[in-house]
Amino acid sequence: MAEPSKVIHIRNVGHEIAESDLLQLLQPFGVVSKIVMLRAKNQALLQMEDMHASVSALQYYSTVQPSVRGRNVYMQFSSHQELTTDQSSHGRNSDQESEPNRILLVTIHHMIYPITVEVLHQVFKAYGFVEKIVTFQKSAGFQALIQYQSRQEAVEAFGSLHGRNIYDGCCQLDIQYSNLSELQVHYNNDRSRDFTNPSLPTEQRPRPSQHGYPDPAGLFAFQQAGASYAQMGRAAMISAAFGGSLPNGVTGTNERCTLIVSNLNTDKIDEDKLFNLFSLYGNIVRIKILRNKPDHALVEMADGLQAELAVTYLKGAILFGKKLEVNYSKYPNITPAPDAHDYLNSSLNRFNSNVVKNYRHCCAPTKMIHISALPQEISEDAILNHVSEHGSVVNTKLFEVNGKRQALVLFETEEEATEALVSKHASSLEGNTIRISFSQMQSI
């Protein structure tokens, strides 16, 4: 093994793997201070803040095979002891790498959906008149050249769009200035377009089917602050979230949205606790505990896929000492009523944002919980005080992701972790409303 270094060398990094994917592998061990993506070599270099963090990460991944988006990646210490600012793609100033120009070179990372001229035009036209677009495939991935009428328009687009995602959680824009002075476009089709010359031939090549993918007209409106992301088609969402193959036992074809949950602990359960658990698998519309059968509850989810995920992952889970039974109800929905708790417009529904990420994190209850939205100055003792009443805590780890404090808490059993999650998700800790989910990591 190479001499220990703060810099970790990762191999077999496919073009579908984004910087954020690699950060998720290493940030539980400490702060990642610099990152270099070597796209042409399918490799990456990540520098941890200190040697302890890099050694801990490699010790862990010597016993657990790291995998990203279904692809095994391989880690070792780098021969570099430090990454220079010039090498690092974090915080780089692309304006200084090449002179501002009216033509932009755009690379799309983590391209789950097909990107066409129409999609790019929809995104870039917000900043000025786009004259020409040419798209092509290179070793660095899918790329496009976008020519504006003026240099100022290109500078504005660069400043607003570099590093942004076209769709929620994917299709990240990596932008540089091109050194070309004029684009040559010979055909107007889905791969190239001259918007100043609509009479060019199309080359008569068949257009690839867009069935099941987001409508470009519904793209994230970058020019509007706080605009919502594109609405994704159901088939595309499933493909994006689960890498094209659904979890074992999930068909993706279920249309029943309402579930009947039985064998509940009537002394300890309430609607909010059920919400905290079932909202891991989808948005909750309503929950009703049956007054004539208080150990039974109806849970209405937003769609059939989310209901199927809840049935798959929660059937047989232990909650407050009782083994849950989760099945589809004969009722299509829960009628609004005073005894039915309505969560349709709740800001606590997890799938209102980061949809792909939330689906990807779906799993059966584990012994480890992940806590986010923590106060910046929080201590491990404060976290322990907040959750330790629910069971025996084996280990904890406090860390930072993109400047935000997060924590992992490992309990002795899945039942204890489940109780902590249902009791303390969306609770207040030092003024912050914290979020809790299950972690699929095996150890800290």
Side-chain angles (χ1 to χ4, degrees):
M1 182 182 281
E3 181 184 342
S5 162
K6 287 192 291 186
V7 182
I8 294 173
H9 180 195
I10 306 180
R11 293 176 290 116
N12 201 35
V13 179
H15 294 307
E16 75 279 8
I17 295 175
E19 284 186 13
S20 57
D21 295 318
L22 299 179
L23 289 173
Q24 282 186 9
L25 284 180
L26 293 177
Q27 279 172 329
F29 303 95
V31 175
V32 177
S33 57
K34 294 177 184 175
I35 181 168
V36 178
M37 300 296 284
L38 306 170
R39 291 282 177 192
K41 296 181 177 179
N42 281 1
Q43 297 177 13
L45 298 170
L46 284 84
Q47 180 174 319
M48 307 301 288
E49 197 167 49
D50 56 51
M51 190 82 78
H52 175 73
S54 63
V55 170
S56 297
L58 284 194
Q59 281 177 342
Y60 175 74
Y61 287 121
S62 66
T63 58
V64 175
Q65 172 61 57
S67 174
V68 183
R69 304 195 181 281
R71 175 193 283 259
N72 286 345
V73 295
Y74 304 95
M75 298 186 189
Q76 64 190 57
F77 289 118
S78 170
S79 56
H80 297 281
Q81 287 299 312
E82 294 268 351
L83 294 177
T84 66
T85 307
D86 291 341
Q87 286 174 307
S88 176
S89 56
H90 265 196
R92 69 182 180 188
N93 186 342
S94 296
D95 301 59
Q96 295 173 355
E97 291 179 1
S98 53
E99 282 294 309
N101 181 14
R102 70 185 182 129
I103 300 178
L104 301 175
L105 172 62
V106 181
T107 304
I108 311 285
H109 298 309
H110 186 197
M111 199 173 90
I112 287 176
Y113 304 124
I115 299 297
T116 61
V117 164
E118 284 91 346
V119 172
L120 292 167
H121 187 241
Q122 188 78 21
V123 171
F124 282 85
K125 72 178 183 181
Y127 302 95
F129 181 67
V130 176
E131 291 185 337
K132 300 174 182 178
I133 298 178
V134 177
T135 65
F136 46 92
Q137 194 74 34
K138 288 277 191 176
S139 60
F142 181 86
Q143 293 186 312
L145 288 162
I146 297 176
Q147 179 175 313
Y148 278 98
Q149 197 167 40
S150 72
R151 188 174 72 169
Q152 184 52 41
E153 292 169 333
V155 169
E156 190 176 336
F158 179 101
S160 298
L161 296 178
H162 176 61
R164 300 291 292 276
N165 292 336
I166 294 179
Y167 296 112
D168 186 6
C170 64
C171 303
Q172 186 184 41
L173 296 164
D174 185 349
I175 304 176
Q176 304 169 43
Y177 292 109
S178 168
N179 54 14
L180 297 173
S181 56
E182 183 75 33
L183 294 183
Q184 301 299 317
V185 176
H186 304 292
Y187 302 102
N188 281 341
N189 54 32
D190 59 305
R191 294 173 307 286
S192 63
R193 188 74 51 86
D194 184 343
F195 295 95
T196 67
N197 186 5
S199 61
L200 284 175
T202 62
E203 197 189 7
Q204 298 303 317
R205 286 177 63 168
R207 180 189 176 85
S209 167
Q210 293 293 305
H211 178 67
Y213 291 99
D215 177 0
L219 280 170
F220 179 32
F222 288 101
Q223 66 273 29
Q224 296 174 9
S228 64
Y229 284 106
Q231 291 298 310
M232 298 183 182
R234 180 182 174 83
M237 173 61 74
I238 295 169
S239 173
F242 300 111
S245 61
L246 291 170
N248 285 339
V250 178
T251 66
T253 59
N254 172 60
E255 294 182 356
R256 293 166 292 180
C257 300
T258 304
L259 306 173
I260 181 78
V261 187
S262 57
N263 204 30
L264 295 168
N265 184 326
T266 55
D267 294 330
K268 295 188 176 180
I269 201 65
D270 60 36
E271 288 87 352
D272 286 345
K273 289 187 174 74
L274 285 171
F275 172 87
N276 290 346
L277 182 59
F278 280 80
S279 63
L280 287 167
Y281 308 101
N283 281 349
I284 306 300
V285 179
R286 287 180 195 89
I287 295 178
K288 179 178 180 177
I289 291 178
L290 305 183
R291 298 306 160 204
N292 58 339
K293 289 183 181 175
D295 65 337
H296 285 59
L298 292 172
V299 178
E300 183 183 345
M301 314 224 17
D303 66 38
L305 171 65
Q306 296 178 354
E308 189 175 13
L309 288 169
V311 169
T312 301
Y313 287 126
L314 290 180
K315 185 172 281 200
I318 308 292
L319 178 60
F320 297 122
K322 297 274 197 170
K323 188 174 181 180
L324 292 184
E325 275 298 324
V326 185
N327 295 290
Y328 299 107
S329 168
K330 62 183 179 182
Y331 300 105
N333 49 47
I334 301 173
T335 306
D339 61 346
H341 284 231
D342 198 312
Y343 296 95
L344 182 62
N345 298 312
S346 172
S347 61
L348 297 175
N349 265 318
R350 302 171 193 252
F351 285 69
N352 289 333
S353 61
N354 295 322
V355 180
V356 172
K357 184 169 141 191
N358 279 315
Y359 274 123
R360 196 182 304 132
H361 290 167
C362 284
C363 64
T366 66
K367 297 176 185 178
M368 192 171 330
I369 58 171
H370 173 262
I371 309 177
S372 57
L374 288 165
Q376 280 301 106
E377 305 305 318
I378 195 75
S379 66
E380 283 195 25
D381 283 346
I383 294 169
L384 273 172
N385 288 338
H386 198 62
V387 300
S388 60
E389 66 178 287
H390 303 291
S392 301
V393 174
V394 177
N395 203 355
T396 61
K397 183 171 183 65
L398 197 55
F399 58 98
E400 205 164 284
V401 176
N402 298 329
K404 296 176 180 175
R405 301 293 273 173
Q406 303 188 14
L408 292 169
V409 180
L410 178 63
F411 286 89
E412 272 193 359
T413 67
E414 287 89 351
E415 181 184 353
E416 292 171 340
T418 305
E419 181 179 323
L421 184 146
V422 302
S423 303
K424 294 296 164 65
H425 172 66
S427 64
S428 179
L429 179 58
E430 294 185 6
N432 281 31
T433 301
I434 62 172
R435 296 171 65 87
I436 305 181
S437 57
F438 292 115
S439 170
Q440 297 179 55
M441 287 184 67
Q442 300 301 307
S443 62
I444 300 177

